Amino acid sequence: MIIEKLTATFGKLNGDVLDLEKGLNIIRAPNESGKSTWCAFIKAMLYGFDTKERDRPPTKENPFGYSAEKNRYAPWNGAPMSGRMLLEWNGREIELTRSGSRAGPMQGFDARYTDTGE
């Protein structure tokens, strides 16, 4: 599988696009520019979120608490979480799309071959 292009409304990403080349891609950018957010986005696009995961309050061991991924990566602009991934698999292009649904953020899923729409 070769990921070619990502489009995300996810965390700080507001319709941002990341074009990738074949082979190894190294993203060099300053702190807080979205590198980890892109990583989390790829994972969410491929596997979705655990909708049962909940935020946890601060404790003595973890004074900052813990935010569930579905909350941690909620779009900063207030828009629904969504994304698009264009990839190549077995010589064919596939477009994956995810959007919010009643089941939760990124739970709406669609995968189609770009050449046939199948």
Side-chain angles (χ1 to χ4, degrees):
M1 177 175 72
I2 299 168
I3 299 172
E4 298 174 344
K5 184 176 186 176
L6 303 165
T7 306
T9 300
F10 189 87
K12 76 174 288 162
L13 307 173
N14 183 17
D16 293 17
V17 176
L18 181 62
D19 287 303
L20 300 169
E21 302 292 326
K22 289 189 178 189
L24 178 66
N25 287 260
I26 298 173
I27 300 172
R28 295 180 60 197
N31 288 343
E32 302 301 319
S33 62
K35 299 179 300 290
S36 297
T37 303
W38 279 114
C39 230
F41 174 74
I42 292 170
K43 179 181 167 193
M45 284 299 294
L46 295 174
Y47 303 107
F49 283 122
D50 178 0
T51 57
K52 294 178 183 174
E53 184 182 37
R54 300 288 179 244
D55 293 342
R56 287 177 271 189
T59 63
K60 186 182 251 185
E61 296 80 29
N62 183 1
F64 301 105
Y66 174 82
S67 294
E69 284 188 327
K70 63 185 177 187
N71 298 327
R72 186 177 328 140
Y73 294 108
W76 293 4
N77 65 1
M81 193 181 292
S82 63
R84 180 176 167 268
M85 176 185 282
L86 188 62
L87 59 90
E88 181 185 317
W89 184 70
N90 286 343
R92 293 184 73 187
E93 277 197 340
I94 299 173
E95 180 182 58
L96 305 180
T97 56
R98 281 202 182 261
S99 59
S101 75
R102 282 192 196 154
M106 301 292 272
Q107 296 302 301
F109 178 79
D110 186 57
R112 296 183 187 272
Y113 289 110
T114 59
D115 57 351
T116 64
E118 178 184 338

